[in-house]
Amino acid sequence: MPAMAGVPERYRASIRHELDDLVAGARPELVTWVHQYGDDGATLIEQPEDIWAHERADVIERTDGSAYVVLPLWTTQEAPSDLSAEVEIAVDGTAEISDVHVL
């Protein structure tokens, strides 16, 4: 299971949907670390296209066709911040953010 630099195109639309939901507040169970980040908490912004090729973007593709992705998250104050999202990609390409935390 080698790690690869950058997020392959085939995963991006599914991950983008999850990131947009996270930023919009649709996944409140995942933003505990966001609210506790720094002195006053953080506010996530729409994640830029830079996220896909950022040096801290990691992708591990599994032999069964699923994948595990870690992405840095941008906030109103930091681009990117020390917050990151862990994303599970199912065999069918469906993405789900499983955790958000500080590195």
Side-chain angles (χ1 to χ4, degrees), residues 75-92:
T75 68
T76 55
Q77 299 295 315
E78 296 178 299
S81 69
D82 286 336
L83 293 161
S84 62
E86 294 182 13
V87 184
E88 286 289 339
I89 308 288
V91 174
D92 68 1

Side-chain angles (χ1 to χ4, degrees), residues 5-89:
V7 178
E9 287 281 338
R10 66 185 173 279
Y11 301 140
R12 294 180 184 185
S14 186
I15 294 171
R16 169 65 64 198
H17 176 74
E18 284 289 293
L19 290 171
D20 289 349
D21 280 355
L22 181 70
V23 170
R27 301 290 307 274
E29 73 279 9
L30 292 174
V31 293
T32 300
W33 282 102
V34 176
H35 294 306
Q36 295 175 358
Y37 186 72
D39 293 335
D40 298 315
T43 301
L44 297 174
I45 62 168
E46 180 179 339
Q47 301 301 294
E49 290 300 307
D50 292 351
I51 196 170
W52 308 124
H54 192 274
E55 65 185 17
R56 288 188 3 230
D58 278 328
V59 179
I60 298 173
E61 293 186 308
R62 301 180 183 112
T63 56
D64 67 358
S66 65
Y68 172 76
V69 179
V70 177
L71 296 167
L73 295 173
W74 273 246
T75 68
T76 55
Q77 299 295 315
E78 296 178 299
S81 69
D82 286 336
L83 293 161
S84 62
E86 294 182 13
V87 184
E88 286 289 339
I89 308 288

